[in-house]
Structure formats: structure tokens, C-alpha cells
């Protein structure tokens, strides 16, 4: 476990700001990421999509429909078109109690803009989203990480973790650069069960797994962590659940409220 974070020995659990502190600010904006850091998140979670002209951007959905005022598939839009879109006002409308004038007109950031702003001081949990829709996504990711000295001999192990639901995408990343720790995201109909064979296969390329927190059981966490893999449940927003998952031995977790998780961790 100490492998993933050089200072893991000093912290009790890994706090991942899911889409930034997305319970407080519009997801996947620089403001949400900044807030995640302010709220003591250890990692900023970045979901990746790729534009028509091959730029990696931080966005959860394949479309811009839910989190902007426009509609369309990212793969059909150029970066120039993406940059004209307001990625913050939807949040003010959806969550009037949390609204801020600062959020109006926020842009969807590129991966480079995220790294320009936060690297090398922050750590990143980067997800290759819909890799089958975006051929070349992994090569592009590794090339950008190389540019920012976040791979190979230059980087501190664990400062960048790559995660995906796609086994193929993770194996491609592993082929391109064996030094990057990988987390296999898994989908389960609760409760989650994992076989020894599945654990062994994942261990060939990954250092951990991520799964929906409602599928997790103490036995699952014990089996996976006993094997040497880490476990990161997502997306855990209530303190009671955070506390319970830590009692069960979760390595850390994804949360929209890194401030709440920090309070739980500090109180233990
Ligand atoms: O990456 C962990 C978790 O974020 C996976 O679900 O849909 O929020 O990307 P999603
Ligand atoms: Ca994600």
C-alpha cells in the first residue's frame, strides 16, 4: 500500500476528490479541483474525454449535455468549440444554495491546463473514459504525462494513478509505461464477489481496484487487501459510510466531499 503514495505511512486513508470537490463546486472545473486540495483531498480525480481534434479534456460524460448549456458529443467538437462552452452555470441552477458568481462561465479544462495549474504539487487519479470511442487516448495521455515529467525515472511513484473500467485500456497504459500504478474499476450487482483467479489476473497489471461502495463487504475488502491489492470504493459522501468502509479496511475512497472524509479520517 505504501507504494502508491510516498507519504501513505503518515496518513490513515487516501482521500480522493471525486471530479474535484464536486459536492461544493461544478465538477471537473479548476475551481472544484482547487477546493479539493483546500479540503485536504490527497488526489484530484480527473475523468478524460477526447475532442474531435485529439485534445484530452477533463469531463465525465461523453456528451456536454448534463454539465453545460449546450448539447453534443465531445468526439464531434473541437477544442475551440469546447472552450466556448459554460461549464459552471448549470451548477448554480441545479444547486442554488451552493451557487457562486465565480462559477458562471467556467471552462472545461484540458488535461494540460489541469497539470499546468496543479502539477507537481498535487496528485492525480486519472480515468480513461470510453476508451473504445477514442482511439489513441492512452498514447496521448502517456505523451502528456511524459511532457510534465510524471512518468518514468522523473516522477515520484504514485503521484499519478491511472484508473479505468476497461481492462484493455489499462493494459495498453501498462504496455506504454510500466511505471504508472493502475487501478481496475469494477462493476458489480451487489454484493461484490471476487475469485482468486480474478485477483491474480488484476495483480498482473494493477495495484488496486475501485468499486461502488454499496457493493463492498468486509470479506471482499479483506480478500482483496490480503492479496496486496488496494481497494477504493466510490462515491462515498456520508460520514457514516466513510467510517464503516475504513473500519472494514478500505485503502481510501472517492468522495464529492473531501472535507467530510478529512474530518472522518482526522477523528479516527
Ligand atoms: O473513478 C471512480 C468513479 O468515479 C467511477 O465512476 O462514473 O463517477 O467515473 P464515475
Ligand atoms: Ca471517475
Amino acid at each position: 500500500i505504501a507504494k502508491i503514495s510516498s507519504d501513505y505511512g503518515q496518513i490513515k486513508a487516501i482521500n480522493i476528490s471525486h471530479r474535484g470537490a464536486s459536492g461544493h463546486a461544478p465538477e471537473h472545473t479548476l475551481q472544484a479541483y482547487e477546493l479539493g486540495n483546500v479540503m485536504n483531498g490527497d488526489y484530484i480525480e480527473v475523468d478524460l474525454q477526447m475532442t474531435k481534434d485529439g485534445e484530452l479534456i477533463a469531463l465525465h460524460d461523453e456528451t456536454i449535455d448534463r454539465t453545460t448549456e449546450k448539447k453534443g458529443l465531445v468526439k464531434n467538437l473541437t477544442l475551440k468549440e469546447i472552450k466556448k462552452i459554460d461549464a459552471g452555470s448549470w451548477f448554480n441552477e441545479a444547486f442554488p444554495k451552493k451557487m457562486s458568481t465565480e462559477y458562471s462561465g467556467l471552462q472545461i479544462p484540458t488535461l494540460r491546463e489541469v497539470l499546468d495549474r496543479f502539477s507537481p504539487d498535487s496528485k492525480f487519479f486519472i480515468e480513461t473514459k470510453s476508451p473504445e470511442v477514442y482511439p489513441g487516448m492512452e498514447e496521448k495521455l502517456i505523451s502528456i504525462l511524459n511532457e510534465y515529467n510524471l512518468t518514468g525515472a522523473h516522477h515520484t511513484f504514485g503521484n499519478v494513478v491511472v484508473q479505468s473500467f476497461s481492462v484493455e485500456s489499462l493494459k495498453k497504459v501498462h504496455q506504454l509505461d510500466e511505471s504508472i500504478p493502475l487501478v481496475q474499476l469494477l462493476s458489480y450487482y451487489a454484493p461484490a464477489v471476487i475469485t482468486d483467479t480474478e485477483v491474480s489476473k488484476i495483480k498482473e497489471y494493477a495495484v488496486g481496484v475501485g468499486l461502488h461502495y454499496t457493493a463492498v463487504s468486509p470479506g471482499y475488502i479483506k480478500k482483496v487487501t490480503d492479496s496486496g491489492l488496494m481497494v477504493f470504493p466510490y462515491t462515498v459522501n456520508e460520514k457514516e459510510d466513510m467510517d464503516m468502509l475504513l473500519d472494514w479496511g478500505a485503502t481510501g475512497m472517492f468522495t464529492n466531499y473531501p472535507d467530510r472524509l478529512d474530518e472522518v479520517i482526522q477523528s479516527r
Side-chain angles (χ1 to χ4, degrees):
I1 281 169
K3 280 196 303 180
I4 200 164
S5 166
S6 51
D7 59 359
Y8 188 75
Q10 278 126 54
I11 54 177
K12 295 173 189 163
I14 295 175
N15 185 341
I16 307 165
S17 302
H18 183 246
R19 312 181 193 177
S22 57
H24 297 284
E27 66 183 61
H28 291 314
T29 60
L30 297 181
Q31 274 71 359
Y33 294 160
E34 180 73 52
L35 209 49
N37 285 348
V38 169
M39 293 176 167
N40 281 343
D42 297 305
Y43 281 85
I44 298 170
E45 197 231 3
V46 182
D47 291 317
L48 291 183
Q49 305 283 341
M50 195 157 89
T51 64
K52 189 177 177 181
D53 44 349
E55 291 295 331
L56 294 181
I57 59 167
L59 193 74
H60 178 270
D61 300 356
E62 270 177 60
T63 74
I64 55 170
D65 303 6
R66 181 177 59 86
T67 55
T68 79
E69 81 288 11
K70 300 269 198 254
K71 286 197 185 310
L73 285 163
V74 173
K75 68 173 186 179
N76 294 336
L77 295 164
T78 62
L79 181 62
K80 200 172 168 194
E81 289 167 325
I82 289 280
K83 280 295 179 185
K84 289 185 190 148
I85 299 166
D86 177 346
S89 294
W90 73 273
F91 183 89
N92 286 343
E93 281 162 33
F95 306 103
K97 284 187 186 156
K98 301 203 167 181
M99 77 167 293
S100 163
T101 50
E102 280 182 23
Y103 299 157
S104 307
L106 286 180
Q107 291 185 352
I108 296 172
T110 63
L111 176 60
R112 277 201 176 85
E113 285 167 344
V114 175
L115 298 176
D116 281 338
R117 173 80 168 265
F118 298 107
S119 179
D121 301 324
S122 300
K123 297 177 186 158
F124 307 92
F125 241 79
I126 300 176
E127 182 177 350
T128 54
K129 278 273 178 219
S130 313
E132 64 288 349
V133 177
Y134 306 117
M137 176 181 236
E138 294 82 6
E139 285 83 352
K140 189 91 193 177
L141 171 59
I142 298 300
S143 146
I144 292 174
L145 294 178
N146 279 335
E147 248 177 68
Y148 285 80
N149 291 334
L150 291 169
T151 54
H154 309 289
H155 80 303
T156 305
F157 187 87
N159 279 8
V160 173
V161 176
V162 174
Q163 39 154 356
S164 189
F165 285 100
S166 164
V167 176
E168 292 72 26
S169 183
L170 289 182
K171 286 192 171 172
K172 200 176 283 178
V173 171
H174 197 61
Q175 256 178 359
L176 292 165
D177 191 323
E178 274 195 10
S179 76
I180 299 173
L182 306 175
V183 166
Q184 179 67 62
L185 300 175
L186 301 164
S187 294
Y188 287 105
Y189 295 106
V193 176
I194 194 161
T195 64
D196 291 337
T197 310
E198 285 165 335
V199 167
S200 303
K201 279 191 178 160
I202 293 169
K203 281 191 74 173
E204 285 169 15
Y205 58 91
V207 299
V209 300
L211 71 166
H212 198 273
Y213 78 99
T214 56
V216 175
S217 65
Y220 182 96
I221 293 187
K222 185 169 183 341
K223 178 162 190 175
V224 173
T225 54
D226 279 356
S227 82
L229 286 170
M230 295 179 272
V231 179
F232 300 97
Y234 61 80
T235 301
V236 193
N237 292 328
E238 300 303 329
K239 285 181 163 186
E240 225 171 66
D241 295 322
M242 293 168 178
D243 219 18
M244 181 183 73
L245 289 160
L246 293 178
D247 282 347
W248 290 355
T251 315
M253 62 197 80
F254 298 83
T255 178
N256 299 342
Y257 298 92
D259 49 342
R260 290 183 193 168
L261 180 52
D262 187 50
E263 279 176 36
V264 168
I265 293 169
Q266 297 304 334
S267 71
R268 291 170 66 88

